[in-house]
């Protein structure tokens, strides 16, 4: 699969949320379109998705992003909770997710035959509590940040976890 983290459906908010110039929004959209086009042209057996790492403060982008996905037609759009690091440096308002449930259900209703919109309900409702003590995922996959940083987990993107960084594919 190939999943694009976009986290906003409008250029200005994309810029604010992702911390990049607005022009990058259009580049991401073109990359998604190109990936979908290549998949169709070549008949590739690949799942193409979009995701929003949702914080309650980004609630204004849930429906615009769902509509954008409906227009682009990736295989899916997923709304995920934001995982804070162990120090809580992102200050995620886990209790604030409850106020978004109706909007997320409306976004899910935009699913159609080839496009699935899904909220990760179990995580959004968990209030940031994990039901496990140890993560076994890092030996099996890596995560790439928008800056090119390669790390065993998104929670390790912060520079203070540099000892876990594998490299940077941009460099």
């Amino acid at each position: 699969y190939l999943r694009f983290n976009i986290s906003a459906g409008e250029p200005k908010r994309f810029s604010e949320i992702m911390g990049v110039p607005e022009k990058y929004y259009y580049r991401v959209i073109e990359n998604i379109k190109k990936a979908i086009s290549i998949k169709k042209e070549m008949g590739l057996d690949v799942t193409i998705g979009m995701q929003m790492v949702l914080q309650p403060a980004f609630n204004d982008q849930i429906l615009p992003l769902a509509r954008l996905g409906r227009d682009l037609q990736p295989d899916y759009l997923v709304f995920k909770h934001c995982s804070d690091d162990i120090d809580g440096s992102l200050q995620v308002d886990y209790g604030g997710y409850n106020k978004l449930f109706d909007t997320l259900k409306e976004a899910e209703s935009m699913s159609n035959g080839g496009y699935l919109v899904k909220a990760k309900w179990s995580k959004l409702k968990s209030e940031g509590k994990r039901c496990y003590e140890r993560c076994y995922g890092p030996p099996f996959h890596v995560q790439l940040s928008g800056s090119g940083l390669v790390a065993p987990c998104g929670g390790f993107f912060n520079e203070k976890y540099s000892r876990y960084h594998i490299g940077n594919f941009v460099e």
Side-chain angles (χ1 to χ4, degrees), residues 4-153:
F4 294 87
N5 181 51
I6 184 165
S7 291
E10 299 169 325
K12 184 177 188 311
R13 287 294 280 139
F14 175 85
S15 173
E16 294 166 356
I17 291 168
M18 302 299 284
V20 297
E22 274 187 47
K23 67 181 181 180
Y24 290 170
Y25 171 84
Y26 300 102
R27 183 185 295 175
V28 171
I29 298 304
E30 286 306 311
N31 287 340
I32 293 169
K33 287 179 180 179
K34 182 83 171 182
I36 292 168
S37 174
I38 291 169
K39 172 186 174 173
K40 288 178 181 176
E41 288 172 17
M42 300 183 73
L44 300 175
D45 185 23
V46 61
T47 301
I48 297 176
M50 294 169 35
Q51 79 172 5
M52 178 182 204
V53 178
L54 178 61
Q55 290 209 43
F58 306 158
N59 66 325
D60 64 308
Q61 291 305 295
I62 294 170
L63 297 178
L65 186 56
R67 285 190 287 272
L68 175 64
R70 186 180 58 199
D71 292 343
L72 296 175
Q73 286 292 296
D75 296 298
Y76 70 88
L77 166 63
V78 65
F79 293 96
K80 300 170 62 171
H81 75 299
C82 182
S83 294
D84 213 339
D85 63 21
I86 58 173
D87 298 324
S89 62
L90 296 176
Q91 299 178 347
V92 177
D93 173 19
Y94 289 107
Y97 286 118
N98 295 333
K99 298 173 188 161
L100 309 181
F101 291 172
D102 288 341
T103 306
L104 288 164
K105 287 177 185 171
E106 184 178 347
E108 286 184 330
S109 75
M110 293 185 202
S111 297
N112 59 39
Y115 169 60
L116 174 67
V117 180
K118 192 70 180 149
K120 291 191 104 177
W121 291 109
S122 64
K123 296 290 187 180
L124 292 165
K125 293 178 178 181
S126 73
E127 297 182 353
K129 297 179 184 99
R130 295 181 175 171
C131 60
Y132 55 89
E133 291 182 21
R134 183 173 177 185
C135 180
Y136 291 97
F140 301 105
H141 77 290
V142 295
Q143 292 194 342
L144 310 175
S145 81
S147 68
L149 179 65
V150 181
C153 179

